[in-house]
Amino acid sequence: MPRRALVAASGNPVIRHLRAWVALIKPRIIELLLITTVPAMVLAARGWPDTGLVAATLVGGILTAGGANAINNVLDRDIDARMERTRRRPLPSALIGPTEALVVGVGLGLAGFLWLWATTTPLAASLAIGALGFYVIVYTMALKRTTPQNIVIGGAAGAAPALIGWAAVTGTLSLAAWLLFAIVFFWTPPHFWALAIRFRKDYAAADVPMLPVVAGDAEATLQILLYAISLTGVSLLLYPVAVLGVVYLSGAIVLGLGFVVGAIRLIGHAGRSLVLFRYSNVYLALLFGAVALDVLLEST
């Protein structure tokens, strides 16, 4: 949903308020996170799981992730107001008040936890509410304003949907599930640092110590390359551990090489950071898509 639609002065006030609620939960971030949930479920089931279970897990994931994002908006409203990229969000633009946003966030988080507990497994529900707490308390409150390693440690919250999807199917976690988690964990820093390079001045103005602000673009691009190499290695480990086939293996190799080459090209050319950021989105979607496709082809 375009941001300018959220701040338009014209139109139905009820619709405008609903749009503000949608923006509050950051749907684009949720879409990205849920990309990892369904393939994890397919791999856990070694085929297509029950469709009702998939739908229930996605609903619970949307609720808990939306709750976490809404609470994050409340806690970061002062930062958002000082950044060009975020100052049109619902709280800085006064479309929603902080109390209302907090109620929405807590309500969505609790609803997601209860929904997952009732429709999937207790482990999946516990992982979801744990990820919410980690994102809000550890990342947003403790790390974001204090260390350039904020997104490295905080990335664990964004990697949780893979575990949640696996736990929804099996009620347990295996090494393959943790490798799916590790893929997203290692993907998060280069993905976010590429964006942070583009908006380095924004983060500096808001006193947020993102790596490009603290260490400069040269160090940030070097770290992006190192993480891209590590990510490719971790993605290849999934092949033998999860007993996947040639579809996944070839996808992991090609996509990983693309990420590494993109990171190399970024060194000395920080202006290309948005190109790598966009590729990272495609990378994650296609890699997890390759997981699901490999398993589904095997099971037919």
Side-chain angles (χ1 to χ4, degrees), residues 116-299:
L116 287 170
W117 189 283
T119 62
T120 63
T121 67
L123 179 58
S126 300
L127 288 167
I129 201 67
L132 183 154
F134 191 90
Y135 181 66
V136 170
I137 298 171
V138 177
Y139 171 67
T140 304
M141 297 178 67
L143 299 176
K144 185 172 183 177
R145 306 180 192 226
T146 60
T147 172
Q149 294 300 306
N150 47 22
I151 201 64
V152 177
I153 303 168
L163 297 180
I164 294 167
W166 191 285
V169 172
T170 67
T172 61
L173 295 174
S174 70
L175 179 57
W178 285 108
L179 280 174
L180 291 173
F181 171 92
I183 288 171
V184 185
F185 184 83
F186 278 90
W187 167 87
T188 302
H191 164 76
F192 202 90
W193 285 335
L195 183 67
I197 289 173
R198 169 64 178 81
F199 293 101
R200 177 170 51 82
K201 292 181 180 179
D202 255 7
Y203 286 112
D207 294 322
V208 178
M210 290 298 174
L211 185 64
V213 175
V214 174
D217 290 347
E219 178 63 22
T221 53
L222 175 60
Q223 290 299 316
I224 286 172
L225 174 59
L226 294 176
Y227 268 92
I229 294 170
S230 300
L231 170 63
T232 302
V234 172
S235 71
L236 292 175
L237 281 177
L238 184 65
Y239 167 70
V241 170
V243 195
L244 291 169
V246 67
V247 171
Y248 174 77
L249 180 60
S250 58
I253 292 172
V254 172
L255 290 167
L257 285 174
F259 212 140
V260 171
V261 169
I264 292 172
R265 289 178 175 175
L266 188 60
I267 295 176
H269 300 87
R272 293 177 51 88
S273 61
L274 278 186
V275 175
L276 187 64
F277 172 76
R278 294 188 183 107
Y279 176 79
S280 69
N281 290 330
V282 174
Y283 170 90
L284 191 68
L286 291 183
L287 186 72
F288 273 79
V291 171
L293 180 60
D294 196 291
V295 173
L296 292 174
L297 288 175
E298 177 193 80
S299 64

Side-chain angles (χ1 to χ4, degrees), residues 2-25:
R3 285 183 190 151
R4 59 177 59 93
L6 300 174
V7 296
S10 59
N12 187 309
V14 175
I15 297 299
R16 191 162 63 247
H17 201 78
L18 288 175
R19 284 176 172 171
W21 273 22
V22 171
L24 184 71
I25 67 173

Side-chain angles (χ1 to χ4, degrees), residues 81-93:
R82 295 186 311 208
M83 295 177 62
E84 176 65 26
R85 184 174 67 90
T86 57
R87 63 187 178 88
R88 296 178 184 84
R89 284 177 176 172
L91 270 74
S93 57

Side-chain angles (χ1 to χ4, degrees), residues 11-90:
N12 187 309
V14 175
I15 297 299
R16 191 162 63 247
H17 201 78
L18 288 175
R19 284 176 172 171
W21 273 22
V22 171
L24 184 71
I25 67 173
K26 302 179 183 178
R28 289 180 182 176
I29 294 178
I30 293 175
E31 289 171 9
L32 197 61
L33 296 179
L34 295 183
I35 283 172
T36 66
T37 304
V38 175
M41 298 180 75
V42 170
L43 182 56
R46 301 305 303 193
W48 183 254
D50 178 76
T51 301
L53 179 62
V54 173
T57 306
L58 291 179
V59 169
I62 290 169
L63 291 172
T64 52
N69 289 335
I71 297 170
N72 170 267
N73 266 317
V74 175
L75 296 172
D76 278 355
R77 63 189 185 277
D78 59 324
I79 292 175
D80 289 343
R82 295 186 311 208
M83 295 177 62
E84 176 65 26
R85 184 174 67 90
T86 57
R87 63 187 178 88
R88 296 178 184 84
R89 284 177 176 172

